[in-house]
Amino acid sequence: MLAKRLDIQLIDSKEMAAAARPSDSHKVVIHSAEAFYGRLAAGGIRGLGESYQDGAWGAEDLVGLLCRLLAATDSRPGAWLRALRPVVSQRRGDGDAYSLAGARQSISHHYDLSNLLFALFLDESMTYSSALFEVGDDGRLLADRGLLAAAQNRKYDRLLDLVKVGPGSRLLEIGTGWGGLAIRAAERGAQVRTVTISAEQLKFVQRRVRECGLESRITAELRDYRELGAGQYNAIISIEMIEAVGQQYWPAYFEVLEQQLAPSGRIGLQVITMRPDRFSSSRNSRTWVNEYVFPGFKPPSAPALAAALRQHSGLTIVDRMAFGPHFAETLRIWRESFADAADEVQALGFGDVFQRTWEFYLASCEASFRAGHFDVNQFILAGRDAGGSDG
């Protein structure tokens, strides 16, 4: 039996007391066998996610369980991988999620849920991207809730340093988030133009900029990257935004970056990347995350991104840093904070199904980074004549 090979115990919740004994296995507590096995039979691991949303099962260690399942897809690439593929993928049937209209709808579906909701599990900087933690003397990341805001600023500062943002710099940010990077840059004396297609984020950022007294240095706009018009910026930064651009629009995105960049300027991209084999097998598919959390989320692989830059632009990669373990820890902190805020999430009007959906979403993302299926990179780009490597 597959569960036995993976050292996973399937326990009926009615028999939980009898099964509560020390074990090295991961326990899956089944609350509704009919829903659990029915969903699993119909949809593979995708059905696993759907049955979790339904409340048909739970786990003592959800992240650990998902890490085992992901590891199994690596160690059993034949029948086991084919059996699991429905979780990860279904053929896309949602039209063009990356057109102007499709992108706005996709971003709104995820980011316009509620600013108050995100504030319950993000740090005080309201940053929804990977932090960059300090490393202790023992080589372990110094990652806990109290250090998250500083780690987010460390991430911002590294990008700002590498694209040389300082007093008088003209910075374009594509993908505003909740304004953390724009404020950090303005505090250095830069003039910042930041664009988003999330109406709720824009309202939040405009209020935050006023409260910080930075209206003269930050202009925030509701605008797609394809609607920027002419511009010449010393630096461009885009943090975990290209994942929602869509591969067919990468050439247009790179063209906009080149058009906006001054000849001696630099571009900083922070990008979630997929392992190349995972990218190849899932790029034309629709995932559980696409269906229930973020319709347009489709990370590139690092080699695919580098190849597209060479083919469709005059930009070259001059610096690259991968720091996936930092994102795993960031997600752990978000997941724990989200769980601790369960009552407040309910008070905002988000019910049990929503909470289980986001529990599974945060846990599955964390597991993907811990298993090495996802990574996160900071790429620094310059014009081709600046030299460098497409590594």
Side-chain angles (χ1 to χ4, degrees):
M1 182 179 179
L2 181 58
K4 185 175 181 180
R5 287 200 301 270
L6 294 176
D7 197 19
I8 294 171
Q9 284 185 295
L10 302 179
I11 304 170
D12 190 295
S13 59
K14 299 171 186 175
E15 303 169 359
M16 185 64 184
R21 58 183 182 276
S23 172
D24 292 330
S25 67
H26 288 268
K27 294 183 178 68
V28 174
V29 180
I30 300 172
H31 304 296
S32 171
E34 182 178 0
F36 175 76
Y37 290 110
R39 288 281 199 180
L40 202 61
I45 292 204
R46 183 187 176 107
L48 194 70
E50 291 171 339
S51 59
Y52 191 88
Q53 292 171 277
D54 291 341
W57 66 278
E60 291 186 344
D61 178 6
L62 182 57
V63 173
L65 172 69
L66 294 173
C67 282
R68 288 200 179 199
L69 292 175
L70 290 172
T73 67
D74 294 330
S75 62
R76 296 178 58 82
W80 171 228
L81 177 57
R82 289 192 295 273
L84 284 180
R85 192 160 287 154
V87 96
V88 192
S89 52
Q90 275 188 354
R91 281 295 171 189
R92 188 186 304 281
D94 57 349
D96 189 351
Y98 306 104
S99 65
L100 279 166
R104 285 192 172 97
Q105 184 176 2
S106 175
I107 293 298
S108 178
H109 180 89
H110 189 69
Y111 290 100
D112 289 347
L113 285 167
S114 166
N115 291 328
L116 294 175
L117 171 70
F118 284 96
L120 291 176
F121 68 92
L122 300 181
D123 65 277
E124 57 264 36
S125 74
M126 286 291 286
T127 302
Y128 189 45
S129 54
S130 180
L132 182 62
F133 295 98
E134 287 190 303
V135 181
D137 293 337
D138 60 358
R140 301 178 69 177
L141 298 183
L142 302 178
D144 64 41
R145 210 175 297 188
L147 298 174
L148 182 55
Q152 295 291 9
N153 284 332
R154 186 174 298 107
K155 172 263 303 291
Y156 289 146
D157 287 341
R158 185 179 191 276
L159 284 170
L160 291 167
D161 288 345
L162 289 174
V163 298
K164 302 177 182 178
V165 170
S169 297
R170 298 186 69 241
L171 170 67
L172 171 65
E173 181 187 25
I174 301 178
T176 305
W178 282 273
L181 183 279
I183 289 171
R184 196 75 173 172
E187 289 173 343
R188 291 185 173 210
Q191 291 293 321
V192 183
R193 181 189 185 191
T194 182
V195 297
T196 179
I197 55 176
S198 166
E200 289 300 309
Q201 285 184 334
L202 179 67
K203 287 188 289 186
F204 183 96
V205 170
Q206 288 174 332
R207 182 177 69 251
R208 189 177 178 186
V209 167
R210 288 193 300 271
E211 291 171 352
C212 292
L214 293 171
E215 302 100 312
S216 64
R217 292 187 183 173
I218 299 174
T219 301
E221 305 171 21
L222 190 67
R223 195 177 301 276
D224 188 274
Y225 69 92
R226 288 160 286 200
E227 302 171 317
L228 283 170
Q232 285 283 289
Y233 296 91
N234 309 116
I236 301 172
I237 292 178
S238 190
I239 296 177
E240 294 176 25
M241 181 269 180
I242 196 172
E243 300 87 343
V245 166
Q247 189 174 5
Q248 66 269 43
Y249 289 99
W250 290 354
Y253 178 71
F254 298 147
E255 182 180 0
V256 168
L257 294 181
E258 284 193 276
Q259 289 173 346
Q260 299 295 321
L261 190 66
S264 60
R266 290 288 186 273
I267 299 167
L269 301 182
Q270 184 163 308
V271 183
I272 298 170
T273 57
M274 296 182 74
R275 210 173 64 190
D277 60 320
R278 295 284 163 174
F279 174 73
S280 298
S281 65
S282 67
R283 60 183 174 178
N284 295 319
S285 304
R286 184 172 176 82
T287 68
W288 179 90
V289 169
N290 296 147
E291 184 68 30
Y292 295 105
V293 182
F294 195 162
F297 180 71
K298 191 64 64 173
S301 70
L305 190 63
L309 280 166
R310 288 192 298 268
Q311 183 176 356
H312 299 293
S313 81
L315 300 170
T316 187
I317 299 170
V318 297
D319 187 272
R320 173 187 172 190
M321 179 184 73
F323 55 111
H326 295 251
F327 212 158
E329 290 302 306
T330 304
L331 283 155
R332 176 186 59 78
I333 295 169
W334 291 347
R335 177 176 53 81
E336 292 171 353
S337 299
F338 184 84
D340 289 345
D343 290 344
E344 291 93 332
V345 174
Q346 286 277 354
L348 290 175
F350 297 98
D352 293 342
V353 173
F354 177 89
Q355 291 200 47
R356 287 193 296 268
T357 298
W358 272 66
E359 287 168 8
F360 195 85
Y361 160 60
L362 293 170
S364 62
C365 288
E366 180 184 341
S368 293
F369 280 96
R370 295 198 185 282
H373 289 201
F374 280 3
D375 203 346
V376 63
N377 293 261
Q378 285 185 352
F379 296 96
I380 305 302
L381 312 180
R384 188 79 71 188
D385 57 0
S389 168
D390 280 358

